[in-house]
Amino acid sequence: MKAVLYKAKGALALALAMSMFSPQVFAAEALSAEQQGVQAAPVVELTEEEKAALALPVLTYEEALSKAKKNSADLKDLEDLTDILKEERNDQIDDLGTLKTPTYEYKKWVNFGTWMKQAQVFATKMEQESTALQKDLQHLMIEVGVKSSFVDILGQQDQIELAKMNADMQQKLYEQAQVKYRLGMLSKYGTGGLDEKRIAAEQAKNNVALAEASLTQTYTNFNRLLGEPEGTRYELVYDVTYAPYEIGRPLDMYISDKMNNDDLSLKLLELSVDGAKFTANYLPDEIPDAMAGMVSDPYDKDDRNEYGLDSAQRSLKTAKQEKEAAIQNAYLQIKQLETMRDSAEADLKKAETTYHMVEVNYQAGNVTKTAVEQAEMGVISAQNALKTNAYNHDMLVFTFENPTLLGSAQ
C-alpha cells in the first residue's frame, strides 16, 4: 500500500477503521513510548535498604499463634485463676488433709461435719477441673481463630489480584467499545452495547473496592487477635500441602474415641453431671440448729436437686447424639471436598490448554492480546480455586480432629 501522510487529527480514526479489516490486527501491539515521541522515564533501581523498608514483615503461623496467646486476656484470666485455685486446694489440704473422693452415684447420708468438708473440697476440685477445660478450650479457640485468619487473608488476596485483572480487562473492553461506538460500529444500548460495557467496567471496579474493604476488615480482626496496630500488614507464611485424608480405622471407632477423650465441650457437660450428682446424692443426715440459718436443708430442695441431675444427664445425652452426627457430617464434607478437587484439577488443565491454544493463535495473528489476557485470567482463576480447596480441606480436617468445634455441645 502506498504510504500517505495524514493530518494528526484524522490519523487515529482512520488507523482504527483500517484495523477492523486488517488480517494482522490481532497481533498488533500498542506503539512504544519511543514510537509515540514520548520520552520514557528512567528506571530507578532501589537500594537493598529501600527494598527492605518497603517489604512487609514476614509472619509465620506459629509466630502468629504465639502472639495471639500472649495477647489473650481470657487466657490470662484462666491462668491466674488456675494459680489461685491451686493455692486454695493446698490450703484445704493443710486444714483438712487429703480427703478421699466420696461416692455420690446414689444417695448417701453422712454427718454434717463430713458433708461440709467434702462439699468444700468437691467445689474446689470441680472449679479446678472446669478451669483446666476452659483453658484448653481457649487455646483451641485462639488456634482456630489464627488459622481461619490466615486462610481468609490469603484467599482474599488472591481474589483481589484476580479482581484487579478483571477490572483492567473490563476497562480495556469498554475503551475499545467507545472507539467502535464513535466509528458507528457499535450501538449504545442492547446486548454487547456501549452501556453494557460501561456497567461491566464499573461493576468490576466496585468488586475490587469491595474485596479490598473485606480484606481490611479481616486484617482489623486479625490484628486485634494478635494485639498489633490495626493497619499492620504482613507477608503471611502458611504452606498447606494437600493430601487425601485418611482416619486409619472405622469411622464409628474414631467417633467413639474422639467423643470419649478429646471433646472438651462434652467433658464440661460431664462435669456438670458430676456436680448435679453430688448435690442430689451426697447429703448431710442432719443440719445442726446452729447452722440452720446458714445452710439450707437439702431435703427442702430434694425435687429440685433431682430435676437438676435429670436435666444435666439429658443435656449430656442430647449433646453426644448431636456431636456424633456432626462428626459424621464433617467427615462427609471432607470427602466431598476431595471429590470437588478432582473437578478443580480438571478445570485447571482445561484452562491451561485453552491458554496455550490462544497463545498460539495470537502468535499467528488470529486473536487479540485481550484474548490472551482473558485466557490467562482463566488459568489464574482455576489455580485460585485449587488453593481455596486446599485451604478449606485443611481447615475442615483441623475441625474434624478437634470435635469440640463441631455441633452444639457447650
Side-chain angles (χ1 to χ4, degrees):
M1 180 184 294
K2 183 186 294 184
V4 183
L5 297 178
Y6 297 97
K7 292 183 179 180
K9 183 176 180 181
L12 177 60
L14 182 57
L16 288 168
M18 291 293 292
S19 72
M20 300 300 173
F21 306 100
S22 172
Q24 297 300 321
V25 64
F26 299 118
E29 300 293 337
L31 295 177
S32 67
E34 183 179 356
Q35 289 172 321
Q36 296 180 54
V38 179
Q39 184 176 359
V43 176
V44 179
E45 186 69 26
L46 296 178
T47 66
E48 292 301 320
E49 290 78 10
E50 290 171 330
K51 291 178 181 178
L54 293 174
L56 293 175
V58 175
L59 183 67
T60 67
Y61 171 77
E62 292 75 18
E63 291 169 342
L65 186 58
S66 177
K67 284 176 178 285
K69 288 183 177 180
K70 288 179 181 178
N71 182 59
S72 174
D74 290 337
L75 190 56
K76 184 65 169 62
D77 287 344
L78 289 167
E79 288 171 346
D80 290 345
L81 181 56
T82 298
D83 293 337
I84 291 171
L85 290 170
K86 184 178 180 180
E87 291 178 6
E88 289 182 1
R89 183 68 189 104
N90 288 336
D91 290 342
Q92 288 176 350
I93 292 174
D94 291 340
D95 294 341
L96 307 173
T98 303
L99 298 179
K100 184 179 179 180
T101 302
T103 299
Y104 47 85
E105 290 295 326
Y106 53 87
K107 284 192 180 297
K108 182 178 182 179
W109 288 266
V110 295
N111 69 67
F112 181 78
T114 300
W115 178 81
M116 281 288 288
K117 291 177 182 179
Q118 290 287 10
Q120 181 182 355
V121 171
F122 182 80
T124 302
K125 177 175 174 289
M126 287 284 290
E127 191 171 5
Q128 281 183 308
E129 292 182 7
S130 175
T131 301
L133 290 171
Q134 292 286 354
K135 190 164 64 172
D136 288 343
L137 181 59
Q138 189 62 30
H139 276 284
L140 181 59
M141 297 309 296
I142 292 172
E143 188 171 358
V144 76
V146 171
K147 184 179 284 285
S148 63
S149 295
F150 266 66
V151 168
D152 289 345
I153 289 171
L154 292 171
Q156 287 171 358
Q157 287 174 340
D158 288 340
Q159 291 172 5
I160 289 172
E161 291 305 311
L162 188 61
K164 285 180 177 179
M165 291 181 67
N166 184 54
D168 290 342
M169 175 64 62
Q170 296 303 325
Q171 180 62 29
K172 185 183 296 184
L173 293 174
Y174 174 51
E175 290 170 358
Q176 291 174 358
Q178 287 178 306
V179 173
K180 291 181 180 180
Y181 175 72
R182 287 197 297 268
L183 295 174
M185 301 177 64
L186 186 72
S187 65
K188 185 174 183 180
Y189 306 106
T191 302
L194 182 62
D195 268 8
E196 185 180 87
K197 299 295 185 183
R198 175 184 59 79
I199 292 171
E202 291 174 353
Q203 287 178 336
K205 185 177 179 180
N206 290 338
N207 288 340
V208 173
L210 289 172
E212 289 178 336
S214 179
L215 179 61
T216 297
Q217 184 60 55
T218 302
Y219 255 120
T220 297
N221 295 334
F222 185 47
N223 284 320
R224 286 175 184 167
L225 182 62
L226 303 186
E228 296 290 343
E230 184 172 315
T232 308
R233 297 292 184 269
Y234 314 93
E235 180 184 341
L236 299 182
V237 178
Y238 186 63
D239 297 325
V240 173
T241 303
Y242 171 83
Y245 183 68
E246 299 293 340
I247 58 176
R249 50 188 153 159
L251 182 59
D252 57 345
M253 290 179 60
Y254 177 91
I255 292 174
S256 177
D257 181 54
K258 284 292 182 180
M259 289 175 58
N260 290 331
N261 300 306
D262 297 333
D263 197 297
L264 300 174
S265 56
L266 292 180
K267 287 182 181 297
L268 285 168
L269 289 175
E270 289 169 352
L271 208 58
S272 296
V273 171
D274 283 345
K277 283 181 180 179
F278 186 89
T279 300
N281 293 339
Y282 196 71
L283 306 168
D285 55 5
E286 185 178 359
I287 304 294
D289 293 339
M291 302 295 295
M294 301 174 62
V295 179
S296 61
D297 192 331
Y299 301 114
D300 293 340
K301 299 192 299 182
D302 192 51
D303 289 343
R304 173 68 66 178
N305 293 339
E306 288 294 336
Y307 165 77
L309 175 56
D310 291 343
S311 178
Q313 290 173 329
R314 282 193 295 268
S315 295
L316 176 59
K317 181 179 179 180
T318 300
K320 284 183 175 181
Q321 292 171 341
E322 292 176 350
K323 186 59 59 101
E324 182 176 0
I327 297 175
Q328 289 174 334
N329 186 55
Y331 184 72
L332 291 175
Q333 289 178 352
I334 290 173
K335 293 306 170 184
Q336 287 172 353
L337 275 177
E338 292 174 357
T339 300
M340 291 170 62
R341 187 173 184 85
D342 293 339
S343 298
E345 288 174 344
D347 288 342
L348 176 58
K349 289 180 181 178
K350 181 179 179 181
E352 288 173 338
T353 300
T354 299
Y355 173 72
H356 292 314
M357 290 175 58
V358 173
E359 206 174 30
V360 169
N361 276 283
Y362 171 69
Q363 296 297 331
N366 297 325
V367 297
T368 64
K369 184 63 179 292
T370 300
V372 177
E373 293 171 352
Q374 288 175 320
E376 182 184 8
M377 285 174 55
V379 173
I380 295 173
S381 178
Q383 290 172 338
N384 287 351
L386 268 179
K387 284 195 284 187
T388 298
N389 178 277
Y391 288 144
N392 290 340
H393 187 268
D394 177 70
M395 195 73 200
L396 191 52
V397 167
F398 176 79
T399 305
F400 180 72
E401 293 181 340
N402 293 276
T404 305
L405 303 171
L406 295 170
S408 59
Q410 298 294 334

CSV table of all heavy atoms in Angstrom, one decimal, residues 81-123:
chain,number,residue,atom,x,y,z
A,81,LEU,N,-6.5,-17.7,87.5
A,81,LEU,CA,-7.5,-18.5,88.3
A,81,LEU,C,-6.9,-19.9,88.6
A,81,LEU,O,-7.2,-20.4,89.7
A,81,LEU,CB,-8.8,-18.6,87.6
A,81,LEU,CG,-10.0,-19.3,88.3
A,81,LEU,CD1,-10.2,-18.7,89.6
A,81,LEU,CD2,-11.2,-19.4,87.4
A,82,THR,N,-6.2,-20.5,87.7
A,82,THR,CA,-5.6,-21.8,87.9
A,82,THR,C,-4.7,-21.7,89.1
A,82,THR,O,-4.7,-22.6,90.0
A,82,THR,CB,-4.9,-22.3,86.7
A,82,THR,OG1,-5.8,-22.4,85.6
A,82,THR,CG2,-4.2,-23.6,86.9
A,83,ASP,N,-3.9,-20.6,89.2
A,83,ASP,CA,-2.9,-20.5,90.3
A,83,ASP,C,-3.6,-20.3,91.6
A,83,ASP,O,-3.2,-20.8,92.6
A,83,ASP,CB,-2.0,-19.3,90.0
A,83,ASP,CG,-1.1,-19.5,88.8
A,83,ASP,OD1,-0.8,-20.7,88.5
A,83,ASP,OD2,-0.6,-18.6,88.2
A,84,ILE,N,-4.7,-19.5,91.6
A,84,ILE,CA,-5.5,-19.2,92.8
A,84,ILE,C,-6.1,-20.5,93.3
A,84,ILE,O,-6.0,-20.7,94.5
A,84,ILE,CB,-6.5,-18.1,92.5
A,84,ILE,CG1,-5.9,-16.8,92.3
A,84,ILE,CG2,-7.5,-18.0,93.7
A,84,ILE,CD1,-6.8,-15.7,91.8
A,85,LEU,N,-6.7,-21.2,92.4
A,85,LEU,CA,-7.3,-22.5,92.9
A,85,LEU,C,-6.3,-23.5,93.4
A,85,LEU,O,-6.6,-24.2,94.4
A,85,LEU,CB,-8.1,-23.1,91.7
A,85,LEU,CG,-9.4,-22.3,91.3
A,85,LEU,CD1,-9.9,-22.9,90.0
A,85,LEU,CD2,-10.4,-22.4,92.4
A,86,LYS,N,-5.1,-23.5,92.8
A,86,LYS,CA,-4.1,-24.4,93.3
A,86,LYS,C,-3.7,-24.0,94.8
A,86,LYS,O,-3.5,-24.9,95.6
A,86,LYS,CB,-2.9,-24.3,92.4
A,86,LYS,CG,-1.8,-25.3,92.8
A,86,LYS,CD,-0.6,-25.2,91.8
A,86,LYS,CE,0.5,-26.1,92.2
A,86,LYS,NZ,1.7,-26.1,91.3
A,87,GLU,N,-3.6,-22.7,95.0
A,87,GLU,CA,-3.3,-22.2,96.4
A,87,GLU,C,-4.4,-22.6,97.4
A,87,GLU,O,-4.2,-23.0,98.5
A,87,GLU,CB,-3.1,-20.7,96.4
A,87,GLU,CG,-1.8,-20.3,95.7
A,87,GLU,CD,-1.6,-18.8,95.6
A,87,GLU,OE1,-2.5,-18.1,96.3
A,87,GLU,OE2,-0.7,-18.3,95.0
A,88,GLU,N,-5.7,-22.4,96.9
A,88,GLU,CA,-6.8,-22.7,97.8
A,88,GLU,C,-6.8,-24.2,98.1
A,88,GLU,O,-7.1,-24.6,99.2
A,88,GLU,CB,-8.1,-22.4,97.1
A,88,GLU,CG,-8.4,-20.9,97.0
A,88,GLU,CD,-9.7,-20.5,96.3
A,88,GLU,OE1,-10.4,-21.5,96.0
A,88,GLU,OE2,-10.0,-19.3,96.2
A,89,ARG,N,-6.5,-25.1,97.1
A,89,ARG,CA,-6.5,-26.5,97.3
A,89,ARG,C,-5.4,-26.9,98.3
A,89,ARG,O,-5.6,-27.7,99.2
A,89,ARG,CB,-6.3,-27.3,96.0
A,89,ARG,CG,-6.4,-28.8,96.2
A,89,ARG,CD,-7.8,-29.3,96.5
A,89,ARG,NE,-7.8,-30.7,96.9
A,89,ARG,CZ,-7.8,-31.1,98.1
A,89,ARG,NH1,-7.9,-30.3,99.2
A,89,ARG,NH2,-7.8,-32.4,98.3
A,90,ASN,N,-4.2,-26.2,98.2
A,90,ASN,CA,-3.1,-26.5,99.1
A,90,ASN,C,-3.5,-26.1,100.6
A,90,ASN,O,-3.2,-26.8,101.5
A,90,ASN,CB,-1.9,-25.7,98.7
A,90,ASN,CG,-1.3,-26.4,97.4
A,90,ASN,OD1,-1.5,-27.5,97.2
A,90,ASN,ND2,-0.5,-25.5,96.7
A,91,ASP,N,-4.3,-25.0,100.7
A,91,ASP,CA,-4.7,-24.5,102.0
A,91,ASP,C,-5.7,-25.6,102.6
A,91,ASP,O,-5.7,-25.8,103.8
A,91,ASP,CB,-5.4,-23.2,101.9
A,91,ASP,CG,-4.4,-22.1,101.6
A,91,ASP,OD1,-3.2,-22.3,101.8
A,91,ASP,OD2,-4.8,-21.0,101.1
A,92,GLN,N,-6.6,-26.1,101.7
A,92,GLN,CA,-7.5,-27.1,102.2
A,92,GLN,C,-6.8,-28.4,102.7
A,92,GLN,O,-7.2,-29.0,103.7
A,92,GLN,CB,-8.5,-27.5,101.1
A,92,GLN,CG,-9.5,-26.4,100.7
A,92,GLN,CD,-10.4,-26.7,99.6
A,92,GLN,OE1,-10.1,-27.7,98.9
A,92,GLN,NE2,-11.4,-25.9,99.3
A,93,ILE,N,-5.8,-28.8,102.0
A,93,ILE,CA,-5.0,-29.9,102.4
A,93,ILE,C,-4.4,-29.7,103.7
A,93,ILE,O,-4.3,-30.6,104.6
A,93,ILE,CB,-4.0,-30.3,101.3
A,93,ILE,CG1,-4.7,-30.8,100.0
A,93,ILE,CG2,-3.0,-31.4,101.8
A,93,ILE,CD1,-3.7,-31.0,98.9
A,94,ASP,N,-3.8,-28.5,103.9
A,94,ASP,CA,-3.2,-28.1,105.2
A,94,ASP,C,-4.3,-28.2,106.3
A,94,ASP,O,-4.0,-28.6,107.4
A,94,ASP,CB,-2.6,-26.7,105.1
A,94,ASP,CG,-1.4,-26.7,104.2
A,94,ASP,OD1,-0.8,-27.8,104.0
A,94,ASP,OD2,-1.0,-25.6,103.8
A,95,ASP,N,-5.5,-27.7,106.0
A,95,ASP,CA,-6.5,-27.6,107.1
A,95,ASP,C,-7.2,-28.9,107.3
A,95,ASP,O,-7.6,-29.3,108.4
A,95,ASP,CB,-7.6,-26.5,106.7
A,95,ASP,CG,-7.0,-25.1,106.7
A,95,ASP,OD1,-5.9,-25.0,107.3
A,95,ASP,OD2,-7.5,-24.2,106.1
A,96,LEU,N,-7.5,-29.6,106.2
A,96,LEU,CA,-8.4,-30.8,106.3
A,96,LEU,C,-7.7,-32.1,106.0
A,96,LEU,O,-8.3,-33.2,106.2
A,96,LEU,CB,-9.6,-30.7,105.3
A,96,LEU,CG,-10.4,-29.4,105.4
A,96,LEU,CD1,-11.4,-29.3,104.2
A,96,LEU,CD2,-11.1,-29.3,106.7
A,97,GLY,N,-6.5,-32.0,105.4
A,97,GLY,CA,-5.8,-33.3,105.0
A,97,GLY,C,-6.4,-33.7,103.6
A,97,GLY,O,-7.3,-33.0,103.1
A,98,THR,N,-5.8,-34.7,103.1
A,98,THR,CA,-6.3,-35.2,101.8
A,98,THR,C,-7.5,-36.1,102.0
A,98,THR,O,-7.4,-37.2,102.6
A,98,THR,CB,-5.1,-36.0,101.1
A,98,THR,OG1,-4.0,-35.2,100.9
A,98,THR,CG2,-5.6,-36.5,99.7
A,99,LEU,N,-8.6,-35.7,101.4
A,99,LEU,CA,-9.8,-36.4,101.6
A,99,LEU,C,-10.1,-37.3,100.4
A,99,LEU,O,-9.9,-36.9,99.2
A,99,LEU,CB,-11.0,-35.5,101.8
A,99,LEU,CG,-11.0,-34.6,103.0
A,99,LEU,CD1,-12.2,-33.6,103.0
A,99,LEU,CD2,-10.9,-35.4,104.3
A,100,LYS,N,-10.5,-38.5,100.6
A,100,LYS,CA,-10.9,-39.4,99.5
A,100,LYS,C,-12.2,-39.0,98.9
A,100,LYS,O,-13.1,-38.6,99.6
A,100,LYS,CB,-11.0,-40.8,100.1
A,100,LYS,CG,-11.3,-41.9,99.0
A,100,LYS,CD,-11.4,-43.3,99.6
A,100,LYS,CE,-11.7,-44.3,98.6
A,100,LYS,NZ,-11.8,-45.7,99.2
A,101,THR,N,-12.2,-39.0,97.6
A,101,THR,CA,-13.5,-38.6,96.9
A,101,THR,C,-14.6,-39.5,97.3
A,101,THR,O,-14.5,-40.7,97.2
A,101,THR,CB,-13.3,-38.7,95.4
A,101,THR,OG1,-12.2,-37.9,95.0
A,101,THR,CG2,-14.5,-38.2,94.6
A,102,PRO,N,-15.7,-38.9,97.8
A,102,PRO,CA,-16.8,-39.8,98.2
A,102,PRO,C,-17.6,-40.4,97.1
A,102,PRO,O,-17.5,-39.9,95.9
A,102,PRO,CB,-17.7,-38.8,99.0
A,102,PRO,CG,-17.5,-37.5,98.3
A,102,PRO,CD,-16.0,-37.5,97.9
A,103,THR,N,-18.4,-41.4,97.4
A,103,THR,CA,-19.3,-42.0,96.4
A,103,THR,C,-20.6,-41.2,96.4
A,103,THR,O,-21.2,-40.9,97.4
A,103,THR,CB,-19.6,-43.4,96.8
A,103,THR,OG1,-18.4,-44.2,96.8
A,103,THR,CG2,-20.5,-44.1,95.8
A,104,TYR,N,-20.9,-40.7,95.1
A,104,TYR,CA,-22.2,-40.0,95.0
A,104,TYR,C,-23.0,-40.4,93.8
A,104,TYR,O,-23.8,-39.7,93.2
A,104,TYR,CB,-21.9,-38.5,95.0
A,104,TYR,CG,-20.8,-38.0,94.0
A,104,TYR,CD1,-21.1,-37.8,92.6
A,104,TYR,CD2,-19.5,-37.9,94.4
A,104,TYR,CE1,-20.2,-37.4,91.8
A,104,TYR,CE2,-18.5,-37.4,93.5
A,104,TYR,CZ,-18.9,-37.2,92.2
A,104,TYR,OH,-17.9,-36.8,91.3
A,105,GLU,N,-22.8,-41.7,93.4
A,105,GLU,CA,-23.6,-42.2,92.3
A,105,GLU,C,-25.0,-42.6,92.8
A,105,GLU,O,-25.9,-42.7,92.0
A,105,GLU,CB,-22.9,-43.5,91.8
A,105,GLU,CG,-21.6,-43.2,91.0
A,105,GLU,CD,-21.8,-42.4,89.7
A,105,GLU,OE1,-22.9,-42.6,89.1
A,105,GLU,OE2,-21.0,-41.6,89.4
A,106,TYR,N,-25.2,-42.7,94.0
A,106,TYR,CA,-26.5,-42.9,94.6
A,106,TYR,C,-26.6,-42.2,95.9
A,106,TYR,O,-25.6,-41.6,96.4
A,106,TYR,CB,-26.7,-44.4,94.9
A,106,TYR,CG,-25.6,-45.1,95.7
A,106,TYR,CD1,-25.6,-45.0,97.1
A,106,TYR,CD2,-24.5,-45.6,95.1
A,106,TYR,CE1,-24.6,-45.6,97.8
A,106,TYR,CE2,-23.4,-46.2,95.8
A,106,TYR,CZ,-23.5,-46.2,97.2
A,106,TYR,OH,-22.5,-46.7,97.9
A,107,LYS,N,-27.8,-42.1,96.5
A,107,LYS,CA,-28.0,-41.3,97.7
A,107,LYS,C,-27.2,-41.8,98.9
A,107,LYS,O,-27.2,-43.0,99.2
A,107,LYS,CB,-29.5,-41.2,98.1
A,107,LYS,CG,-30.3,-40.3,97.2
A,107,LYS,CD,-31.7,-40.0,97.7
A,107,LYS,CE,-32.4,-39.0,96.9
A,107,LYS,NZ,-31.8,-37.7,96.8
A,108,LYS,N,-26.5,-40.9,99.5
A,108,LYS,CA,-25.7,-41.3,100.7
A,108,LYS,C,-25.7,-40.2,101.7
A,108,LYS,O,-25.5,-39.1,101.4
A,108,LYS,CB,-24.2,-41.5,100.2
A,108,LYS,CG,-23.3,-42.0,101.3
A,108,LYS,CD,-21.9,-42.2,100.7
A,108,LYS,CE,-20.9,-42.7,101.7
A,108,LYS,NZ,-19.5,-42.9,101.2
A,109,TRP,N,-26.0,-40.7,103.0
A,109,TRP,CA,-26.1,-39.7,104.1
A,109,TRP,C,-24.9,-39.8,105.0
A,109,TRP,O,-24.5,-40.9,105.3
A,109,TRP,CB,-27.4,-40.0,104.9
A,109,TRP,CG,-28.7,-39.6,104.2
A,109,TRP,CD1,-29.3,-38.5,104.3
A,109,TRP,CD2,-29.4,-40.5,103.3
A,109,TRP,NE1,-30.5,-38.5,103.5
A,109,TRP,CE2,-30.5,-39.7,102.9
A,109,TRP,CE3,-29.2,-41.8,102.8
A,109,TRP,CZ2,-31.5,-40.2,102.0
A,109,TRP,CZ3,-30.2,-42.3,101.9
A,109,TRP,CH2,-31.3,-41.5,101.5
A,110,VAL,N,-24.3,-38.7,105.3
A,110,VAL,CA,-23.2,-38.6,106.2
A,110,VAL,C,-23.4,-37.5,107.2
A,110,VAL,O,-24.3,-36.7,107.1
A,110,VAL,CB,-21.9,-38.3,105.4
A,110,VAL,CG1,-21.6,-39.4,104.4
A,110,VAL,CG2,-22.0,-37.0,104.7
A,111,ASN,N,-22.6,-37.5,108.3
A,111,ASN,CA,-22.8,-36.5,109.3
A,111,ASN,C,-22.4,-35.1,108.7
A,111,ASN,O,-21.7,-35.0,107.8
A,111,ASN,CB,-22.0,-36.8,110.6
A,111,ASN,CG,-20.5,-36.7,110.3
A,111,ASN,OD1,-20.0,-35.6,110.1
A,111,ASN,ND2,-19.8,-37.8,110.4
A,112,PHE,N,-23.0,-34.1,109.4
A,112,PHE,CA,-22.8,-32.8,108.8
A,112,PHE,C,-21.4,-32.3,108.7
A,112,PHE,O,-21.0,-31.7,107.7
A,112,PHE,CB,-23.6,-31.8,109.7
A,112,PHE,CG,-23.6,-30.4,109.2
A,112,PHE,CD1,-24.4,-30.0,108.2
A,112,PHE,CD2,-22.7,-29.4,109.8
A,112,PHE,CE1,-24.4,-28.7,107.7
A,112,PHE,CE2,-22.7,-28.1,109.3
A,112,PHE,CZ,-23.5,-27.7,108.3
A,113,GLY,N,-20.5,-32.6,109.6
A,113,GLY,CA,-19.2,-32.2,109.5
A,113,GLY,C,-18.4,-32.8,108.3
A,113,GLY,O,-17.7,-32.1,107.6
A,114,THR,N,-18.7,-34.1,108.1
A,114,THR,CA,-18.1,-34.7,106.9
A,114,THR,C,-18.6,-34.1,105.6
A,114,THR,O,-17.8,-33.8,104.7
A,114,THR,CB,-18.3,-36.2,106.9
A,114,THR,OG1,-17.8,-36.8,108.1
A,114,THR,CG2,-17.8,-36.9,105.7
A,115,TRP,N,-19.9,-33.9,105.6
A,115,TRP,CA,-20.5,-33.3,104.4
A,115,TRP,C,-19.9,-31.9,104.1
A,115,TRP,O,-19.6,-31.6,103.0
A,115,TRP,CB,-22.0,-33.2,104.6
A,115,TRP,CG,-22.8,-32.5,103.5
A,115,TRP,CD1,-23.1,-33.1,102.3
A,115,TRP,CD2,-23.2,-31.2,103.4
A,115,TRP,NE1,-23.8,-32.2,101.5
A,115,TRP,CE2,-23.8,-31.0,102.1
A,115,TRP,CE3,-23.1,-30.1,104.3
A,115,TRP,CZ2,-24.3,-29.8,101.7
A,115,TRP,CZ3,-23.6,-28.9,103.9
A,115,TRP,CH2,-24.2,-28.7,102.6
A,116,MET,N,-19.8,-31.1,105.2
A,116,MET,CA,-19.2,-29.7,105.0
A,116,MET,C,-17.8,-29.8,104.4
A,116,MET,O,-17.5,-29.0,103.5
A,116,MET,CB,-19.2,-29.0,106.3
A,116,MET,CG,-20.6,-28.4,106.7
A,116,MET,SD,-21.0,-27.0,105.7
A,116,MET,CE,-19.9,-25.8,106.3
A,117,LYS,N,-17.0,-30.7,104.9
A,117,LYS,CA,-15.6,-30.8,104.4
A,117,LYS,C,-15.6,-31.3,103.0
A,117,LYS,O,-14.9,-30.7,102.1
A,117,LYS,CB,-14.8,-31.8,105.3
A,117,LYS,CG,-14.5,-31.2,106.7
A,117,LYS,CD,-13.8,-32.3,107.5
A,117,LYS,CE,-13.6,-31.8,109.0
A,117,LYS,NZ,-12.9,-32.9,109.8
A,118,GLN,N,-16.3,-32.3,102.7
A,118,GLN,CA,-16.3,-32.9,101.4
A,118,GLN,C,-16.9,-31.9,100.4
A,118,GLN,O,-16.4,-31.8,99.2
A,118,GLN,CB,-17.2,-34.2,101.3
A,118,GLN,CG,-16.5,-35.3,102.0
A,118,GLN,CD,-15.3,-35.9,101.3
A,118,GLN,OE1,-14.9,-35.3,100.3
A,118,GLN,NE2,-14.8,-37.0,101.7
A,119,ALA,N,-18.0,-31.1,100.8
A,119,ALA,CA,-18.6,-30.2,99.9
A,119,ALA,C,-17.6,-29.1,99.5
A,119,ALA,O,-17.5,-28.6,98.4
A,119,ALA,CB,-19.8,-29.6,100.5
A,120,GLN,N,-16.8,-28.6,100.5
A,120,GLN,CA,-15.8,-27.6,100.3
A,120,GLN,C,-14.7,-28.1,99.3
A,120,GLN,O,-14.3,-27.4,98.3
A,120,GLN,CB,-15.2,-27.2,101.6
A,120,GLN,CG,-14.1,-26.1,101.5
A,120,GLN,CD,-13.5,-25.8,102.9
A,120,GLN,OE1,-13.9,-26.3,103.9
A,120,GLN,NE2,-12.5,-24.9,102.8
A,121,VAL,N,-14.2,-29.3,99.6
A,121,VAL,CA,-13.1,-29.8,98.7
A,121,VAL,C,-13.7,-30.1,97.3
A,121,VAL,O,-13.0,-29.9,96.3
A,121,VAL,CB,-12.6,-31.1,99.3
A,121,VAL,CG1,-11.6,-31.8,98.4
A,121,VAL,CG2,-11.8,-30.8,100.6
A,122,PHE,N,-14.9,-30.7,97.3
A,122,PHE,CA,-15.5,-31.0,96.0
A,122,PHE,C,-15.7,-29.8,95.1
A,122,PHE,O,-15.4,-29.8,93.9
A,122,PHE,CB,-16.8,-31.7,96.2
A,122,PHE,CG,-17.5,-32.2,94.9
A,122,PHE,CD1,-17.1,-33.3,94.3
A,122,PHE,CD2,-18.5,-31.4,94.3
A,122,PHE,CE1,-17.7,-33.7,93.1
A,122,PHE,CE2,-19.1,-31.8,93.2
A,122,PHE,CZ,-18.7,-33.0,92.5
A,123,ALA,N,-16.2,-28.7,95.7
A,123,ALA,CA,-16.4,-27.5,95.0
A,123,ALA,C,-15.1,-26.9,94.4
A,123,ALA,O,-15.0,-26.5,93.2
A,123,ALA,CB,-17.0,-26.4,95.9
